[in-house]
Amino acid sequence: MGLLGAIEAGGTKFVVAVADENFNIVARTAFPTLDGEKTLDQVIAFFDQYDNIDAVGIAAFGPIDIVPESKTYGYVLDTPKHGWSGYNFLGRMKAWRDIPYYWTTDVNGAGWAEFETGAAKDVHNMVYLTVGTGVGAGIVSGNRLVSGYGHPEAGHIFLQKHPEDTYAGHCPFHGDNCLEGLAAGPAIEERWGMSAKDIPDDHLAWRIEAYYLAQAALDYTMILRPEKIVFGGGVPHREILFPLVRESFAEQMSDYLDVPPLDDYIVPVANGDNAGILGCFYLAKTLL
């Protein structure tokens, strides 16, 4: 068997890598995200060094079209990211080399890594939620990534506001009604006038944040009944959050449903910053 390729396509930076069939990384590099053409020029220049790539996993920032029957399958859809709206990402890669590509969202890539070898490796159903510049989810049900008419946009579920929160919301579409508008990193910074990393542990900010993340976990629990909910992204790096989220979850659940012990149900990522690239490799290998 030849090599596996991985493209972790983020809105700020791209990470590209190749690995052997046992997922040992042979080479890896990263560069800032420019427009579609210029960025993929760099991606292709990297992969051009290897003649024996058998399949590539692509986990891209969204929204993207993941429906194979669609006319715009493989495209990046409307995005504020300059030079990417309507860009045929997958088409450009296929024009370079016609090999199998696994095309999915960045959060699905990281979520799949957590499902395969991370915090959810022992379950069949999980929700992976990343909370950073935005909020997104990768959902695995019955050992399969969930998708339908498109990929889930679980960062835009509507929430009840915390009684002490007067913030107007960050989401340009939903204001202060949705999870991303209330709980993403930029929302925290705008609300409190300082970066999340500078907010002390005993600040009200973390109780409000925990309330929203717990409410989201509650909604996913009610609909999907996962065996584990895994939080990733920059915001959950704050250790104070997990006990507060579990406490708020129990309070809001109010003993309605039986769930696993919360220390084992609402958990942090295990693969850290490698999750996205690992997920691409794992997904690429499923094509062979």
Side-chain angles (χ1 to χ4, degrees):
M1 181 177 164
L3 298 172
L4 300 167
I7 305 172
E8 185 183 6
T12 304
K13 71 172 179 178
F14 267 53
V15 182
V16 288
V18 289
D20 65 22
E21 61 183 299
N22 298 314
F23 312 115
N24 299 305
I25 293 178
V26 173
R28 170 180 177 149
T29 192
F31 38 81
T33 304
L34 306 173
D35 64 38
E37 280 297 295
K38 288 180 184 148
T39 307
L40 288 206
D41 283 345
Q42 293 184 78
V43 170
I44 286 165
F46 172 80
F47 286 132
D48 266 339
Q49 303 170 84
Y50 307 95
D51 295 327
N52 58 334
I53 298 173
D54 288 342
V56 176
I58 306 172
F61 69 90
I64 60 175
D65 190 338
I66 62 161
V67 181
E69 299 78 27
S70 169
K71 288 179 183 172
T72 52
Y73 174 63
Y75 283 66
V76 179
L77 302 175
D78 286 337
T79 172
K81 195 74 187 156
H82 174 71
W84 284 96
S85 281
Y87 184 70
N88 188 359
F89 190 136
L90 187 58
R92 175 81 197 277
M93 293 306 300
K94 285 185 170 176
W96 165 72
R97 202 175 286 176
D98 195 13
I99 56 176
Y101 293 91
Y102 199 107
W103 168 248
T104 192
T105 61
D106 49 358
V107 70
N108 271 353
W112 190 256
E114 288 301 306
F115 174 70
E116 285 282 358
T117 59
K121 65 185 179 186
D122 299 324
V123 303
H124 304 288
N125 309 279
M126 56 84 75
V127 174
Y128 167 79
L129 194 75
T130 184
V131 187
T133 307
V135 179
I139 298 165
V140 176
S141 180
N143 302 315
R144 295 169 66 93
L145 282 166
V146 170
S147 63
Y149 188 63
H151 52 80
E153 281 288 354
H156 290 269
I157 58 170
F158 277 36
L159 301 179
Q160 290 185 328
K161 281 191 80 169
H162 188 283
E164 294 176 79
D165 188 11
T166 57
Y167 174 58
H170 181 74
C171 179
F173 298 94
H174 308 126
D176 66 347
N177 286 311
C178 79
L179 175 60
E180 182 169 296
L182 289 166
I188 298 172
E189 194 162 334
E190 276 179 16
R191 184 190 279 107
W192 304 109
M194 55 180 149
S195 169
K197 65 179 185 293
D198 297 325
I199 299 175
D201 280 357
D202 60 356
H203 197 285
L204 174 64
W206 299 118
R207 290 211 165 268
I208 288 178
E209 182 71 9
Y211 175 81
Y212 293 133
L213 298 183
Q215 193 178 153
L218 184 85
D219 289 347
Y220 305 140
T221 298
M222 295 294 186
I223 297 166
L224 298 163
R225 298 306 301 272
E227 295 156 275
K228 205 167 286 266
I229 297 176
V230 182
F231 280 96
V235 172
H237 281 171
R238 284 300 287 260
E239 289 181 18
I240 185 64
L241 258 181
F242 281 93
L244 291 176
V245 170
R246 291 172 188 132
E247 179 188 330
S248 183
F249 178 89
E251 199 173 285
Q252 294 182 63
M253 179 61 83
S254 195
D255 293 328
Y256 178 67
L257 285 180
D258 186 30
V259 296
L262 293 185
D263 284 356
D264 195 45
Y265 183 60
I266 296 172
V267 298
V269 292
N271 282 316
D273 295 336
N274 288 319
I277 279 292
L278 282 173
C280 289
F281 287 136
Y282 300 154
L283 290 166
K285 193 166 182 180
T286 67
L287 300 172
L288 301 176

